[in-house]
Amino acid sequence: MFSPTELAGFHVVITRHDGSEILVERSAHGVRLPVIAIPLHTRPAEELTSAIESRWNLKTYCLLTLPAEEPRSVRPTAVLELSSACATIPEGFEWYAAVLRSLQEFDDSESYSIIERALAILNDGRSDKQGPFGRTGWLERVSEWTAAQAAAEGLRLNGKFRQLNASPMFSLIRFETDGPALWFKAVGEPNLREYSITLEVNRRLSGFVPPLIASHSGWNAWLSVEVSGNPLRGASSLRDWQKAAKTLAHLQIASFGSALHLIAAGCKDLRPSSLRPVVGPFFDYVTEVMPQQSKPTPPPLARKEIVALADDVRSALDELESGDFPSVLGHLDLNPGNILVSKDRCVFLDWAEAAVGHPLLTFQYLLEWKQRLEPNLKAERMLRSTYMAPWRSFFRSQDIALDFPVMPLLAAFAYAAGGLPWRDPDRRSRGRTVTFLRSLARRMQHEAKLWNNRRHTCVL
């Protein structure tokens, strides 16, 4: 059971008949919008549709969610549509014509203002101002397209689906069939590049990702076949982690020669030659935001410390570029949830943060997750050995090992400089971005000290 502090309440605007009617509760003082509570830190679309079906026996899908409109509302709003217009509504509810007539009809002014706001957004959708998944009736259109693609593969939808994400530009739905399930995913800004990257990775490296059977350029969407397997976890066996490490190496080796094609498709360019020009502007920004820290501990880095750190990063990039490793496909978000492991294979998901660069950068992120979830130095050494094994066909073990010491520093820099929106004028000053960036800068300084100590020890 969840305590009240672990739940989030949503006003729900449930529509039918192309948004012409809205479901309301009737009280002695008028009508009002119903409220549904769902657990915090979960997927709202999935939790809301599940709660509505469980509580009221209504099958719905989510068009969009809206933040609370201060000071009128303390709750966010979800706008949904019935997936079956002939559903029986619960006692005490009624369908209200979606034409606001009088505030006096409402039990509370909050419901009136929320409906007014929702109707304005739905009307934008009818005039193409809204994204494709914020318009009423979009699920039917997507289902028809998906059914046609499934039929071409000898599959038939059985009517059951599970919606995980909802917004006007993004969508993630699992459709059940009489065979394997199908995943429909659509993306928009700022992750629009995931569409072209997914198509390019599937075209060049199909054995390492779920099979893609269709795409829709108008929606920036694609349809993939569900593959068996479980997400990697801290509790997963070391054998599963080793399978992920070995498969990652084979994926990267298979991407030899495709760097420019992958960058053209939208992968971030993390090659040393491309990262070097970023060092100056990035650490100028770090110098700008570091004094804005309000807490005394940990202490902010001084300007001279940031200058020294920038020099260390440049030296590390020079060292990396002097080696022979090729630039290959990598993943800035290689968290365990994006890796599915089964008895027979391992596949990688969600390529929005795909990048091209030194192969050990991505392996370093995998190591970081393993150590965060279950610290174990012996397991780390075994993962390194497993990952290096496929590379030994191309490089000597000692040559591969030379690049490992500098990776914690450069992986942190590549993630911060290539993965965070510090160059986006609309996002660079947001509190969470700035706080995280300061934390990463301190982490880089720590890793730079360790790397310098190793270098000096080796020289001596």
Side-chain angles (χ1 to χ4, degrees):
M1 294 294 291
F2 288 90
S3 70
T5 58
E6 295 174 308
L7 295 174
F10 275 77
H11 288 288
V12 288
V13 180
I14 301 174
T15 69
R16 72 171 182 175
H17 296 158
D18 195 27
S20 63
E21 294 180 308
I22 293 172
L23 190 66
V24 294
E25 287 185 285
R26 170 67 66 178
S27 74
H29 304 288
V31 298
R32 63 182 174 223
L33 286 174
V35 173
I36 286 284
I38 62 172
L40 283 169
H41 312 302
T42 56
R43 296 177 184 265
E46 184 177 19
E47 293 293 336
L48 285 166
T49 53
S50 176
I52 290 169
E53 182 172 7
S54 174
R55 185 170 170 182
W56 299 324
N57 197 30
L58 297 174
K59 292 185 181 296
T60 61
Y61 66 100
C62 194
L63 303 178
L64 51 95
T65 58
L66 302 169
E69 191 175 28
E70 300 289 353
R72 298 189 212 177
S73 177
V74 296
R75 296 187 181 95
T77 299
V79 182
L80 305 101
E81 184 173 28
L82 283 184
S83 57
S84 175
C86 60
T88 302
I89 60 175
E91 186 176 351
F93 285 72
E94 63 183 64
W95 289 107
Y96 179 86
V99 179
L100 292 175
R101 294 182 289 271
S102 170
L103 179 60
Q104 281 68 43
E105 294 182 89
F106 286 81
D107 188 1
D108 59 88
S109 60
E110 189 178 11
S111 290
Y112 183 91
S113 64
I114 290 171
I115 292 176
E116 186 177 41
R117 185 183 179 197
L119 289 178
I121 292 173
L122 290 177
N123 286 330
D124 277 348
R126 295 189 185 99
S127 62
D128 290 338
K129 293 181 182 179
Q130 190 71 285
F133 311 108
R135 306 171 190 170
T136 56
W138 71 257
L139 180 62
E140 183 178 359
R141 293 187 286 274
V142 168
S143 297
E144 289 176 353
W145 178 80
T146 301
Q149 312 312 312
E153 300 294 322
L155 300 172
R156 180 179 295 179
L157 302 188
N158 65 13
K160 296 180 181 179
F161 69 92
R162 174 179 156 215
Q163 182 186 23
L164 283 82
N165 280 357
S167 87
M169 301 302 297
F170 289 80
S171 186
L172 181 60
I173 303 180
R174 180 183 185 270
F175 289 99
E176 290 189 18
T177 78
D178 55 359
L182 301 176
W183 284 90
F184 172 89
K185 186 172 184 178
V187 295
E189 293 293 357
N191 291 339
L192 190 58
R193 64 181 174 271
E194 186 180 357
Y195 172 71
S196 54
I197 292 171
T198 299
L199 268 57
E200 186 70 11
V201 169
N202 203 281
R203 187 171 75 86
R204 295 181 176 274
L205 303 158
S206 59
F208 302 94
V209 293
L212 187 150
I213 63 171
S215 62
H216 192 300
S217 60
W219 296 333
N220 299 309
W222 61 94
L223 194 64
S224 298
V225 179
E226 182 173 87
V227 297
S228 60
N230 297 308
L232 207 57
R233 298 183 177 89
S236 298
S237 67
L238 178 58
R239 181 175 296 179
D240 281 349
W241 281 88
Q242 288 177 298
K243 182 178 292 186
K246 184 177 182 180
T247 307
L248 173 62
H250 284 298
L251 162 67
Q252 293 175 319
I253 291 169
S255 71
F256 276 5
S258 300
L260 295 181
H261 296 284
L262 291 165
I263 291 171
C267 292
K268 294 178 180 180
D269 188 352
L270 300 184
R271 294 174 296 176
S273 60
S274 299
L275 285 174
R276 188 181 294 102
V278 179
V279 175
F282 175 78
F283 283 105
D284 286 344
Y285 178 64
V286 172
T287 303
E288 174 189 331
V289 300
M290 192 62 73
Q292 298 173 11
Q293 179 176 314
S294 58
K295 297 180 180 179
T297 56
L301 300 183
R303 180 182 291 270
K304 64 179 182 181
E305 292 178 298
I306 297 173
V307 170
L309 178 56
D311 288 340
D312 284 334
V313 170
R314 290 189 184 95
S315 297
L317 288 170
D318 289 341
E319 182 170 309
L320 207 62
E321 196 166 23
S322 66
D324 295 326
F325 263 102
S327 294
V328 297
L329 180 63
H331 202 311
L332 278 172
D333 188 23
L334 196 68
N335 69 74
N338 283 338
I339 305 172
L340 292 182
V341 181
S342 67
K343 180 180 179 181
D344 302 319
R345 64 188 299 201
C346 172
V347 296
F348 301 93
L349 312 175
D350 294 347
W351 290 93
E353 295 300 318
V356 169
H358 195 290
L360 290 184
L361 286 175
T362 301
F363 178 65
Q364 183 65 35
Y365 300 136
L366 185 67
L367 278 182
E368 291 278 339
W369 275 105
K370 176 60 177 173
Q371 290 301 89
R372 185 186 307 178
L373 294 171
E374 190 183 30
N376 186 316
L377 290 177
K378 181 180 178 181
E380 180 178 335
R381 288 194 295 269
M382 293 180 70
L383 277 182
R384 285 177 186 263
S385 177
T386 301
Y387 175 78
M388 289 168 61
W391 289 104
R392 293 192 184 105
S393 298
F394 306 91
F395 303 98
R396 297 181 304 171
S397 296
Q398 55 267 39
D399 293 334
I400 302 172
L402 284 174
D403 285 343
F404 269 112
V406 75
M407 278 304 144
L409 169 60
L410 288 182
F413 173 70
Y415 183 84
L420 294 181
W422 62 276
R423 286 182 280 197
D424 185 340
D426 297 327
R427 303 170 69 193
R428 61 182 281 157
S429 60
R430 293 181 184 176
R432 290 182 65 182
T433 297
V434 172
T435 300
F436 188 39
L437 189 144
R438 284 195 293 257
S439 174
L440 277 174
R442 283 188 284 267
R443 169 69 184 274
M444 281 183 251
Q445 186 193 47
H446 171 73
E447 298 296 350
K449 288 179 179 177
L450 293 177
W451 176 56
N452 282 319
N453 287 340
R454 292 191 193 103
R455 285 200 297 166
H456 296 153
T457 301
C458 290
V459 170
L460 294 175

